[in-house]
């Protein structure tokens, strides 16, 4: 087991899957000669050549659609978006072509394609570059959506995504590329649709994914200092959602806070709260709380930006509310 | 006809012309029946007919190998039939039946037969143009030697996907043929009202791509132009843009009146005088290949075939209710 950055864990997954299956290729802006805008594809052009590491013009809609067309004939494209903010230009291909091809063809044409790239706010990139798209994407039947938070999960989920015969959205955390963690060597595959308890606890469940895992873990530490035992449940997959893991944890703790990077209205947390109120109503000791980005476009100013983001302090405050401590 | 009159090449050509005539007539009769069935409420949703444009699908697909790819927009009944999907399977799909070529889940706008290389009707204008380049990319990646013909209307030329895709297809030298069926109107909007460049072939200059302007009311000229483009794609892996000028006699869809407020009845009648079926039938008669009796017999046969397709569609079962939840994801 090696200690790798999230970036290098993704790189390892890509390299291993491309070595394993000649039908896998990577296409996107700056993936080849430049070695990736975030260096996720470092060294791959040298190893696999320009036929399989394909630099594109800035034309997200076009190259996403070319990926979909290639997948229609059985290739396994990995389409990299420089950020999910740019992928919005390609939503037609993701939503209207990739997600619906199998269904509208009556099961004839499957869609083994991965769309991946960084998601969520980084630092002071302002409104157009600081958005979390998971609730948009997880809304669509015909897609799978994963959002790994650790280097090990990044490797394991990307490998699963590439091997999946359905379109899989991989949301990488823009602020996570440099984090380090232990990553199993070689064959390490994390199944899509399985949440992971990153910290066990008994008093309240903190449901999170992607970058908010860090937020939730910090909050759990602060809560521990206040004699509150928080369980941190990392969803890892947003579609399909590991509903039983959420329900089991809430049945144990009887309280929950859902943390996400996206906006509150129609967010991922709304779906989770719906699940809990429907299937764990009798186990709840308090209404579920949500911590999200403020319901505004992201400001540039550092202080305003900090105030807009989900923070450990806001998670601690929400946890105290569900525990009736304040 | 004398025994010495024809060389084998002539015979092959005659057979090809007869096949084209038959296919055009099949489309015409099929679409007329579809219009009837729509009026009877047997077909729902949107239904875009191909009447008037038959020479385009027939001429272009005649230039392909069976394993080549065809992908089209939502006005694709004609291409689907010519690519070899049976009239019964197409009609059953329009009727939404389990026996349809997309199991009743696609309908008029989403006909598919992957085994025959018919990669669908797609219903977001221009959205399938990149898919065509992707299929060509895959063929090149796997050295399959297949080409892909992408049918789309002239209105799609104003959409970004068209330009993004032509650029990449040219940069990457993909074996794809962008076949623009210029029927002059995007729904009710005349192309010249919304396009700065009205000769679509000119767009090829921006992407350093071969192009041809083609008379789409003549199946033989469409065939010849497509054959040249196919050769360019197959031998040199170069894309081509074909602007094929054609005309639809019917409204944009079944919910649209025949000529509407955006064109005159006279214009439609004038175009009908250039009818592709009459044209090819006339030529074959002139050449002594076919006489009126044989033409009538062919027509009667196709009438019967289409009647049979309607009967098949009518009598076919609806999809099982459990089908609602299948084909969302593969296991």
């Amino acid at each position: 087991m090696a200690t790798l950055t999230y970036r290098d864990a993704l790189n390892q997954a890509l390299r291993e899957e491309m070595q394993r299956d000649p039908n896998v290729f990577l296409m996107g802006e700056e993936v080849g000669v430049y070695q990736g805008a975030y260096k996720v594809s470092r060294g791959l052009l040298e190893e696999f050549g320009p036929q399989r590491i394909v630099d594109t013009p800035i034309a997200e809609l076009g190259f996403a659609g070319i990926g979909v067309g290639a997948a229609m004939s059985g290739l396994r494209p990995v389409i990299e978006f420089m950020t999910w903010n740019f992928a919005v230009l390609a939503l037609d291909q993701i939503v209207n072509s990739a997600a619906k091809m199998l269904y509208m063809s009556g099961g004839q044409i499957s869609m083994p394609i991965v769309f991946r790239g960084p998601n969520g706010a980084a630092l002071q990139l302002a409104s157009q570059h600081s958005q979390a798209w998971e609730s948009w994407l997880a809304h669509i039947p015909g897609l799978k959506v994963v959002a790994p938070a650790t280097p090990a999960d990044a490797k394991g989920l990307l490998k699963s995504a590439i091997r999946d015969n359905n379109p899989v959205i991989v949301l990488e955390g823009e602020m996570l590329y440099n984090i380090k963690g232990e990553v199993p060597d070689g064959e390490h595959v994390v199944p899509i649709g399985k949440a992971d308890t990153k910290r066990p606890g008994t008093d309240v469940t903190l449901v999170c994914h992607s970058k908010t895992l860090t937020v939730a873990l910090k909050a759990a530490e602060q809560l521990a200092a206040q004699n509150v035992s928080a369980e941190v449940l990392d969803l890892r997959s947003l579609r399909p959602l590991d509903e039983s893991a959420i329900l089991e944890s809430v049945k144990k703790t009887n309280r929950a806070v859902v943390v996400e990077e996206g906006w509150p209205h129609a967010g991922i947390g709304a779906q989770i709260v719906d699940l809990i109120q429907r299937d764990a109503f009798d186990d709840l000791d308090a209404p579920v709380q949500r911590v999200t980005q403020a319901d505004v476009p992201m400001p540039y100013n550092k202080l305003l930006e900090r105030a807009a983001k989900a923070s450990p302090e806001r998670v601690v405050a929400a946890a105290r509310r569900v525990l009736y401590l304040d | 006809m004398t025994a010495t009159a024809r060389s084998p090449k002539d015979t092959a050509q005659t057979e090809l012309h007869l096949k084209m005539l038959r296919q055009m007539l099949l489309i015409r009769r099929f679409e007329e029946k579809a219009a009837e069935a729509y009026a009877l409420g047997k077909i729902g949703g949107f239904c875009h007919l191909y009447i008037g444009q038959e020479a385009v699908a027939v001429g272009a697909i005649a230039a392909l190998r069976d394993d080549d790819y065809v992908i089209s927009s939502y006005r694709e009944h004609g291409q689907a039939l010519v690519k070899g999907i049976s009239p019964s399977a197409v009609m059953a799909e329009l009727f939404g039946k389990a026996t349809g070529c997309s199991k009743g889940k696609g309908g008029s706008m989403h006909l598919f037969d992957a085994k025959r290389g018919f990669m669908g009707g797609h219903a977001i204008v221009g959205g399938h143009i990149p898919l065509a380049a992707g299929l060509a990319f895959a063929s090149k990646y796997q050295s399959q030697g297949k080409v892909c013909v992408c049918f789309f209307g002239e209105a799609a030329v104003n959409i970004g996907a068209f330009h993004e895709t032509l650029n990449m297809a040219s940069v990457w030298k993909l074996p794809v043929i962008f076949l623009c069926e210029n029927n002059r109107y995007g729904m009710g909007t005349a192309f010249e009202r919304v396009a700065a460049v009205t000769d679509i072939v000119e767009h090829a200059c921006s992407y350093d791509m071969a192009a041809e302007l083609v008379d789409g009311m003549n199946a033989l000229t469409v065939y010849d132009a497509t054959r040249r483009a196919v050769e360019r794609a197959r031998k040199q892996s170069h894309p081509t843009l074909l602007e094929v000028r054609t005309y639809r006699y019917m409204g944009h869809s079944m919910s649209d009146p025949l000529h509407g407020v955006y064109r005159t009845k006279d214009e439609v009648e004038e175009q009908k005088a250039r009818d592709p079926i009459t044209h090819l039938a006339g030529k074959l008669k002139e050449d002594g290949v076919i006489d009126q009796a044989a033409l009538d017999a062919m027509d009667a046969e196709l009438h019967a075939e289409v009647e049979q397709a309607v009967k098949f569609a009518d009598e076919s079962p609806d999809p099982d209710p459990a089908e609602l939840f299948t084909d969302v994801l593969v296991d």
Side-chain angles (χ1 to χ4, degrees), chain A residues 157-175:
Chain A
L157 281 169
L158 181 54
K159 284 170 88 79
S160 283
I162 292 171
R163 293 181 195 183
D164 204 290
N165 287 323
N166 298 288
V168 183
I169 307 290
V170 180
L171 300 168
E172 299 163 7
E174 188 158 341
M175 290 298 286

Side-chain angles (χ1 to χ4, degrees), chain A residues 22 62 66 73 93 102-103 108 166, chain B residues 101 114 127 134 138 141 164 324 326 330:
Chain A
I66 288 174
S73 89
Q93 290 303 336
L102 183 71
Y103 199 85
Q108 292 179 67
N166 298 288
Chain B
C101 59
Y141 188 100
E164 292 185 16
L324 175 61
T326 64
V330 290

Side-chain angles (χ1 to χ4, degrees), chain A residues 92-139:
Chain A
D92 175 46
Q93 290 303 336
I94 297 170
V95 172
N96 283 318
S97 297
K100 294 175 177 59
M101 198 68 71
L102 183 71
Y103 199 85
M104 68 186 186
S105 69
Q108 292 179 67
I109 300 179
S110 59
M111 191 44 56
I113 190 169
V114 172
F115 298 103
R116 49 160 288 271
N119 175 62
L123 291 172
Q124 286 198 275
L125 299 182
S127 296
Q128 294 180 332
H129 277 257
S130 308
Q131 304 176 86
W133 295 100
E134 46 267 51
S135 70
W136 288 51
L137 296 156
H139 186 59

Side-chain angles (χ1 to χ4, degrees), chain A residues 27 38 154 168 220 228 245 309:
Chain A
M27 178 180 272
Y38 292 90
V168 183
V228 173
K309 286 179 174 175

